[in-house]
Amino acid sequence: MITTRSVRTRLTAAVLTVLAATACSSGGEETGSDRAAPPAKEQREVPGVGKVEAKDTTSDLVLPIDAYDVSTDRIVQTGQALNLLKQQCLGRFGLQMKALPAATVTQGSAHARRYGTPASLDVARKHGFHMAQGDPRALTSDQMVRQPAAVTEVLRGLKDGTLEPVTTYNGMKVPEGGCAGEAQRKLANGKADRVGHAETAAAIKARSFEVAKNDPRVIAAEKKWAGCMTGKGYSAYKSPFDAIGDRKWGAPTATSEEIETAVASWTCGKEANVVGTWVAVETAYQQDQIEANAETLKEEQKALESDAKRINEIVASAGAQ
């Protein structure tokens, strides 16, 4: 018999497997598409899912693990600190980066596009499948910053367009990994872990998505969505992710066809309760894992507080110069 406790133990082991794999990675930049690979033979219904509430919007979606993960404003501040350190390094070589667009915190939920359907009917009608703010498809050529070759080479510590190391510039030694590498090390200040990153929380968040995706309740909701879409003339899409990811939607702004399809996707999502089902399953999984990993998450919170002080000091010292 599989009990909730035994399932929790195995799911916790899955998180630890993810953490081990992550620790062995190259430590590159994390993206929203980073997802944990499921352990072998893990295909089970998530235990502890309560009543599935009707929900048709993700504009205000907050998941339990968010309380333990890095906030979007802190991510922006970490990027600011890194850019300041890079600029200081480049300055020693008489170089300066071209100004980058100011990073801002996107309004609304960071999970607005998590389940493939538009965040709301209003978003679908106005933006189709495009992001309401900062959609990369809307960038114009004058908004794309290309740094001079010398800046790129000293930043990366590699010759432009190659993997050949750059060891000196104007007679001065280039730091290992370039100015970008130096900036990362200075930000870390001797710390082995990534600064401003909650490893366990990130693993739980990624894993909860994958576990929910394979849960029978979510599969049934997406199947109902697909049937609804077929009834509206969109038989090519088998899930909301197929619709939002259609390559036809590559224009800077949404076309009328895209908007019509997005409205259909949102409408079918509401009918099938795609969002409500995903949220219920992910919430149950995350709450289970938060309890099982309570001490580790608590330690990560302390580390994040220390990182925040370090980041604030860097930004403040640059502003005082």
Side-chain angles (χ1 to χ4, degrees):
M1 178 178 70
I2 299 177
T3 65
T4 299
R5 183 179 181 85
S6 65
V7 170
R8 174 184 299 164
T9 301
R10 275 176 277 183
L11 291 179
T12 303
V15 170
L16 295 177
T17 300
V18 173
L19 293 178
T22 304
C24 295
S25 70
S26 61
E29 291 297 319
E30 183 183 16
T31 68
S33 61
D34 286 347
R35 293 176 185 169
K41 298 183 180 179
E42 183 178 28
Q43 289 284 344
R44 63 170 65 86
E45 190 173 284
V46 175
V49 177
K51 181 181 178 182
V52 177
E53 303 287 346
K55 188 171 180 62
D56 57 26
T57 178
T58 52
S59 297
D60 58 351
L61 177 59
V62 177
L63 294 171
I65 199 62
D66 291 342
Y68 304 88
D69 204 1
V70 186
S71 65
T72 52
D73 61 342
R74 179 55 61 186
I75 292 171
V76 169
Q77 289 173 321
T78 302
Q80 290 173 340
L82 275 172
N83 283 334
L84 287 168
L85 292 172
K86 290 175 187 176
Q87 195 66 273
Q88 290 172 4
C89 175
L90 288 168
R92 300 201 307 267
F93 297 90
L95 298 172
Q96 186 173 4
M97 285 193 296
K98 288 184 180 179
L100 301 171
T104 57
V105 178
T106 302
Q107 299 301 309
S109 172
H111 310 305
R113 296 160 62 85
R114 189 168 178 85
Y115 307 129
T117 54
S120 67
L121 179 58
D122 184 57
V123 168
R125 286 171 172 167
K126 289 181 179 178
H127 306 284
F129 291 117
H130 279 58
M131 296 168 64
Q133 291 176 271
D135 196 296
R137 288 165 288 192
L139 287 175
T140 58
S141 58
D142 62 321
Q143 292 173 302
M144 299 178 187
V145 178
R146 177 166 176 77
Q147 302 293 346
V151 170
T152 301
E153 290 184 354
V154 176
L155 263 178
R156 297 172 63 230
L158 298 170
K159 287 192 175 179
D160 197 19
T162 75
L163 294 178
E164 185 179 346
V166 173
T167 56
T168 61
Y169 180 82
N170 280 348
M172 294 177 62
K173 184 179 179 181
V174 173
E176 182 182 354
C179 283
E182 179 182 285
Q184 289 281 2
R185 290 189 293 274
K186 282 190 173 182
L187 186 66
N189 197 29
K191 180 181 175 182
D193 299 330
R194 286 171 58 186
V195 173
H197 180 67
E199 202 77 45
T200 306
I204 291 172
K205 184 180 291 184
R207 190 78 193 104
S208 70
F209 181 93
E210 292 296 338
V211 170
K213 184 176 71 174
N214 294 310
D215 187 273
R217 289 161 290 210
V218 171
I219 292 172
E222 292 198 333
K223 185 175 181 180
K224 186 175 180 180
W225 175 93
C228 173
M229 288 292 281
T230 296
K232 293 180 181 295
Y234 301 99
S235 59
Y237 302 132
K238 304 305 179 186
S239 82
F241 299 102
D242 292 338
I244 198 173
D246 196 321
R247 293 186 178 182
K248 290 191 295 185
W249 320 136
T253 57
T255 62
S256 58
E257 181 187 3
E258 179 184 335
I259 288 173
E260 289 174 4
T261 309
V263 169
S265 177
W266 181 89
T267 303
C268 288
K270 180 179 181 179
E271 181 178 307
N273 197 24
V274 168
V275 173
T277 306
W278 269 94
V279 169
V281 176
E282 281 210 271
T283 294
Y285 175 86
Q286 290 186 7
Q287 288 175 336
D288 188 87
Q289 290 300 288
I290 288 168
E291 180 183 344
N293 296 277
E295 287 304 314
T296 303
L297 290 169
K298 184 177 179 180
E299 289 302 311
E300 282 189 355
Q301 287 293 293
K302 292 180 181 178
L304 286 177
E305 290 173 7
S306 176
D307 290 347
K309 291 179 181 178
R310 171 76 177 153
I311 291 164
N312 288 339
E313 287 171 359
I314 291 170
V315 174
S317 64
Q321 294 175 0

